[in-house]
Amino acid sequence: MTTTFFVGPVGQDVGLSSVTLGLARALARLGASVAFLKPIAQGHITGDRSTMFARTFLKSAPDPLPRAHAEVMLGRQQEDALMEEVVALAEQAAQGADILVVEGLSLVGGHAYAGTLNALVSRTLRANAVLVASLREVSGGILGDQIEITAREYDRTDGGGLAGLVLNHVPNSTDFGAALAELRRHAPSVASGKLPLLGVIGEQAELYAPRSSDVARSLGANIINAGEITTRRVHSTVVSARSAPYVVDLLRPGALVVAPGDREDIVMAASLAHLSGIPLAGLLLTADTLPDEPISRLCRTALTGDMPVMQVNTNTYHTAEQLTRMERKIPLDDHERLERTLEFMADRLDIQPLRGLIGQPGETRMTPPAFRHYLIEQSRRAGKRIVLPEGDEPRTVRAAAQCQEKGIAQCILLAHPDKVRQVAEAQGITLPEGLQMIDPESLRAKYINPMVELRQSKGLTAPQAEAQLEDPVVLGTMMLAQGDVDGLVSGAVHTTANTVRPALQLIKTAPGAALVSSIFFMLMPEQVLVYGDAAINPNPNAQELADIAIQSADSAAAFGIEPRVAMLSYSTGTSGSGQDVEKVAEATKLVRQRRPDLLVDGPLQYDAASVLSVGQQKAPGSQVAGRATVFIFPDLNTGNTTYKAVQRSAGVNAVGPMLQGLRKPVNDLSRGALVDDIVYTIALTAIQAVQVEQLAEQELNKQKQLALSSVAAQATEAAES
């Protein structure tokens, strides 16, 4: 049975959509299937923003009823007929979902009926209402009165109807304790716990930072140089009211410099800042002017590089005024800002009071939000040390700082501390206390002899080892081999071979592992799937394919994904024949023999493995067909092509490759990795470190047991003789 939550506003400008979608994200972290519905469109224009945003991370959400249509029906006193349409939409949206999150109408535009209509929809759907209120520019007492009045509208005669309250837009300067006490005095439903407080969400300026391209679009600017206009964000605005010496200290990462083109001093200052490595949001030239040719020629490298350069015909004063009035809503195509906003909201919502209202989910799935949440929480508990050989690479420095701040891992940056600080200053990164920075020069001598010992069978000499340790990846791998760190992450600027080769030479395979393989975690809209092997083994035989399947299934289970293993081929069952099909069939047989506890089936075509209706038709009776969570490809060509096709064509995030079978965890990054990609890879490496320790302990106990059994057998034999 689907549990329905209706999110309704208390007053205007409460951030209804962001809280609603944040609540959906928080509920999805439970592993339940979450659906979304906006029953009635917010505006009269085509397309609803909330619905479009919801479709980027939840199952398909139906289009809302047009607002004009709803107004006509209300005007004709056809509320019952309108509610029938709303119920039909809700049933459509909730199909197959454990939880349905419904967003009400915000109280804007002078539509006096919106509040009453919201309460009617909530009661009609027998929903649990979550009310959203804002503490911006209002006292706790006045807000308490508003909450109590609104709560009465949603309350039902059966005692249900109210699920919780979210306080949004809480100014950072607010004395929250005093405001909450006053609010409770005026809102008995909050004071009694009938309307539990689910979250207090403060202002976060970074969430409102538009892209430079959004600024250009808003102002109708002429783009002189695009540079990184679609990825850089405006965190501050520097208006050239004074000469260059007075604005230099304001030229920080994310600063948008606003000046007429004939202010050569400001143009040159911005250019120098760019050439110094400071990622400005851009240079906005006003008054329909451009720098004179000599200045343009002198600054050409900066003005034609990554820094966006734009031009408007309004003067500086009016341009600055327009910037202050820019729309604060998230553009429909800004998925990065949406993702950050949803994570920010979900992190600040306590959904424990809602758990008792949620029925038992059907089949628990590891949704992308649940997976990311799992990574962060488990890595925090692990408390591992992760070495980052690319220690002065800007994305890596930022990721390490975030991991340190959030307690995800103790990161060690292999780079000279001064170089790291220079990068941090140029990029506007605050290096948290406790973040380790180690100069490689100070470490190399320590690892020469241990490396010679590890590679003595290959004839490695001390001078050769010293030369190889010049490579920070090799040095980091030796730190891992010697137990000075728990894991390694590299690849932001190095190739996969640069990362994997030292690991194979120095770390080697774990006890009981016949090979090293890889998996990608594919963050599909509704579920996280595991793809293996898509990075390491070119053409595995049946035995190797079985090893990959078992490793991948165990990795899936270690990350909270119930393994149902599909051995993929171009044929399902016995529908086709050929050497490649026979290899997959043999591998499936081997997995079943070695691990009877695993659900595995094959050969299966991809559609038979992933689509329930197709699986039931092509492989009736299979416990895997149509429900697979682990997809094992027959060779590297198929696996790598498929993962990239899904990633790029469907816009799916892929975390990995994560290496399996090594004695200690080493993981590779894509050279195009985003900061978040690096953070999550560090997190999964920390979790792997725990897994590796557990496997090593199990192997040690196994060896001890065998030794004891051998001693006992010898003793028995001696006694009998």
Side-chain angles (χ1 to χ4, degrees), residues 82-297:
L82 177 60
M83 289 304 102
E84 288 177 15
E85 294 185 33
V86 168
V87 170
L89 264 185
E91 290 177 350
Q92 177 187 344
Q95 191 170 6
D98 301 312
I99 299 170
L100 174 63
V101 177
V102 182
E103 179 185 329
L105 289 168
S106 65
L107 308 182
V108 296
H111 301 289
Y113 60 84
T116 302
L117 181 58
N118 282 339
L120 176 60
V121 170
S122 183
R123 290 195 301 270
T124 299
L125 298 178
R126 296 193 64 76
N128 305 284
V130 174
L131 303 184
V132 183
S134 170
L135 255 176
R136 183 192 289 158
E137 298 180 359
V138 65
S139 69
I142 293 175
L143 184 59
D145 291 335
Q146 294 173 352
I147 290 170
E148 194 62 24
I149 293 169
T150 306
R152 289 175 193 155
E153 294 180 353
Y154 286 89
D155 207 357
R156 296 200 305 260
T157 55
D158 61 4
L162 297 175
L165 170 69
V166 176
L167 293 178
N168 193 24
H169 295 325
V170 178
N172 296 326
S173 59
T174 300
D175 181 349
F176 183 70
L180 183 60
E182 187 181 4
L183 185 153
R184 283 176 168 153
R185 285 195 296 272
H186 289 255
S189 58
V190 178
S192 66
K194 185 176 183 179
L195 191 64
L197 186 60
L198 304 180
V200 178
I201 303 172
E203 298 284 2
Q204 183 77 3
E206 288 188 1
L207 297 180
Y208 298 111
R211 298 165 298 188
S212 300
S213 56
D214 299 326
V215 171
R217 183 167 52 241
S218 176
L219 300 180
N222 177 32
I223 299 172
I224 305 299
N225 178 61
E228 295 178 343
I229 196 169
T230 60
T231 56
R232 295 201 179 185
R233 294 188 179 275
V234 180
H235 294 284
S236 63
T237 302
V238 179
V239 180
S240 60
R242 305 188 71 181
S243 59
Y246 296 96
V247 301
V248 165
D249 289 341
L250 302 176
L251 299 181
R252 299 167 183 165
L256 177 66
V257 182
V258 183
D262 57 7
R263 283 294 301 272
E264 289 88 354
D265 59 332
I266 301 297
V267 173
M268 287 191 289
S271 298
L272 282 172
H274 165 75
L275 295 174
S276 298
I278 299 174
L280 298 174
L283 175 61
L284 179 58
L285 302 174
T286 62
D288 203 20
T289 56
L290 292 172
D292 289 338
E293 174 56 28
I295 299 299
S296 295
R297 188 168 60 251

Side-chain angles (χ1 to χ4, degrees), residues 16 24 32 39 54 123 178 190 202 207 280 305 458-459 492 545 632 635 644 652 686 700:
L16 185 66
R123 290 195 301 270
V190 178
L207 297 180
L280 298 174
K458 301 297 181 181
L545 203 58
I632 304 302
D635 53 56
K644 287 189 175 178
V652 169
L700 181 61

Side-chain angles (χ1 to χ4, degrees), residues 50-115:
S50 298
T51 302
M52 293 179 183
F53 282 141
R55 287 171 180 165
T56 65
F57 74 100
L58 294 174
K59 65 182 293 186
S60 178
D63 288 328
L65 298 173
R67 182 155 186 164
H69 170 72
E71 289 174 345
V72 168
M73 297 191 76
L74 291 172
R76 295 174 179 173
Q77 297 185 327
Q78 295 177 334
E79 288 88 350
D80 290 345
L82 177 60
M83 289 304 102
E84 288 177 15
E85 294 185 33
V86 168
V87 170
L89 264 185
E91 290 177 350
Q92 177 187 344
Q95 191 170 6
D98 301 312
I99 299 170
L100 174 63
V101 177
V102 182
E103 179 185 329
L105 289 168
S106 65
L107 308 182
V108 296
H111 301 289
Y113 60 84

Side-chain angles (χ1 to χ4, degrees), residues 628-711:
T629 56
V630 180
F631 293 75
I632 304 302
F633 296 94
D635 53 56
L636 182 59
N637 182 47
T638 308
N640 193 269
T641 301
T642 303
Y643 115 76
K644 287 189 175 178
V646 172
Q647 180 188 37
R648 299 300 180 184
S649 300
V652 169
N653 288 332
V655 178
M658 187 186 90
L659 302 187
Q660 310 171 121
L662 284 169
R663 191 165 53 89
K664 295 184 178 181
V666 172
N667 284 309
D668 183 38
L669 297 166
S670 163
R671 276 172 282 176
L674 302 175
V675 172
D676 284 349
D677 297 331
I678 301 174
V679 169
Y680 289 125
T681 302
I682 291 170
L684 68 84
T685 304
I687 298 169
Q688 263 190 299
V690 175
Q691 184 185 7
V692 165
E693 289 173 358
Q694 292 171 344
L695 290 174
E697 186 176 351
Q698 290 172 9
E699 185 66 23
L700 181 61
N701 290 336
K702 182 180 176 182
Q703 295 299 326
K704 287 181 179 178
Q705 197 64 41
L706 288 172
L708 289 172
S709 298
S710 176
V711 170

